[in-house]
Amino acid sequence: MNFILYIFVFVYYIESIYTVQKAKADSILVEFFPIYYFIIPCMIGTMIQGFFFRISMVWLCVAIAFILVYIEIQISISFIDDLSGLYNRKYMNHYLNKLQNNKTKHVYGFMMDINDFKAINDTYGHQKGDYALIHFGKILQHSIDKDSVAIRMGGDEFVIFAKLKSDEEALALKKQIEYNVRQFNIKSKEPFHFSFSLGIAKFNGKNTDAFLSAMDDSMYETKNMHRLMQ
């Protein structure tokens, strides 16, 4: 009977891990997802108690797992933007620190802001302005894959960091974002439409400050062109 119970427990553990991997594949924010912090201590406790029946370890390990989950949830909350549900500027700094420490290459940054966002607030009110930020965040989240992250820096400014192999892939991601924005403008029943300025830069593997500046400069070139065309 105990053997059958242990089989069911381990099936549950495997199913939980599968759920996390599926969430990653669906581009759900799971970097700080706490399920591993719950599953691993519970698995250890189950295995110890399975081999040594007189040692009660499961509940001790469950208690440890809950403590780890609580800590991890607090970390996760601190990295998530309350309004858009994307990662926030604090997480961006965390990401850039990892990038610089690991000397990672083939990472592209996409910095963008919503054109004439103030007009949305002034015309339709701040509640609609918040809806605009939420919708734009969803567009970005659905434009990227599991190896990329979308971040709201603040206000109407957003950043995407994507691991890409070439400038052609970066251009393809830019076109995907533009396509998704057009689809929103066509299908949405909201009174506002989106236009945005976007700048792209590639990380040189050394200086993250220069990386941010290159994105910023590229975005403002696009923004100035938008103003000239109005």
Side-chain angles (χ1 to χ4, degrees):
M1 184 67 181
N2 284 337
F3 178 72
I4 295 173
L5 178 61
Y6 287 130
I7 289 176
F8 276 113
V9 169
F10 274 97
V11 168
Y12 163 73
Y13 293 155
I14 293 168
E15 193 276 335
S16 300
I17 293 171
Y18 166 77
T19 300
V20 174
Q21 297 303 320
K22 186 176 184 302
K24 286 183 177 181
D26 292 338
S27 297
I28 297 172
L29 304 183
V30 292
E31 177 161 343
F32 299 95
F33 202 81
I35 194 164
Y36 290 123
Y37 292 85
F38 183 78
I39 292 296
I40 291 172
C42 292
M43 287 183 70
I44 293 171
T46 303
M47 291 172 66
I48 292 173
Q49 190 158 328
F51 287 113
F52 306 99
F53 292 105
R54 294 182 180 179
I55 300 176
S56 180
M57 289 294 295
V58 171
W59 293 113
L60 173 61
C61 289
V62 167
I64 293 171
F66 274 119
I67 292 171
L68 292 174
V69 167
Y70 175 79
I71 293 171
E72 199 65 12
I73 287 174
Q74 298 308 307
I75 293 172
S76 176
I77 290 171
S78 73
F79 281 118
I80 301 298
D81 177 60
D82 290 336
L83 181 63
S84 67
L86 302 181
Y87 288 120
N88 59 19
R89 193 182 189 104
K90 182 177 180 181
Y91 177 79
M92 184 183 79
N93 294 333
H94 165 77
Y95 184 94
L96 290 172
N97 284 335
K98 286 201 306 182
L99 206 60
Q100 184 152 334
N101 291 336
N102 296 336
K103 304 298 182 184
T104 308
K105 294 184 179 180
H106 301 294
V107 172
Y108 286 76
F110 300 72
M111 184 178 290
M112 64 207 86
D113 70 3
I114 301 171
N115 293 328
D116 306 315
F117 177 71
K118 185 176 182 297
I120 296 176
N121 276 330
D122 292 346
T123 305
Y124 305 110
H126 288 281
Q127 187 175 30
K128 283 295 182 184
D130 287 347
Y131 286 157
L133 296 174
I134 292 169
H135 284 305
F136 196 76
K138 288 180 178 178
I139 290 170
L140 297 185
Q141 191 62 43
H142 285 98
S143 300
I144 60 177
D145 61 20
K146 61 184 179 63
D147 293 323
S148 306
V149 292
I151 297 165
R152 182 186 172 211
M153 293 179 63
D156 63 325
E157 292 188 330
F158 297 81
V159 170
I160 287 174
F161 294 118
K163 294 180 181 179
L164 304 171
K165 296 178 181 179
S166 64
D167 292 349
E168 287 74 19
E169 287 190 2
L171 182 59
L173 177 53
K174 176 178 179 288
K175 289 181 178 179
Q176 183 64 52
I177 296 168
E178 291 171 343
Y179 172 80
N180 289 344
V181 168
R182 285 196 303 272
Q183 290 300 110
F184 173 86
N185 289 339
I186 292 169
K187 297 178 181 179
S188 174
K189 295 180 181 179
E190 295 288 353
F192 53 81
H193 282 178
F194 285 130
S195 168
F196 66 98
S197 299
L198 184 149
I200 305 174
K202 183 180 179 182
F203 181 53
N204 62 8
K206 298 177 182 178
N207 192 318
T208 54
D209 289 337
F211 182 37
L212 282 175
S213 294
M215 280 189 283
D216 194 50
D217 291 343
S218 178
M219 183 189 73
Y220 273 97
E221 284 181 16
T222 306
K223 197 165 201 58
N224 289 331
M225 289 177 60
H226 170 77
R227 287 169 179 163
L228 291 172
M229 292 173 63
Q230 285 183 318

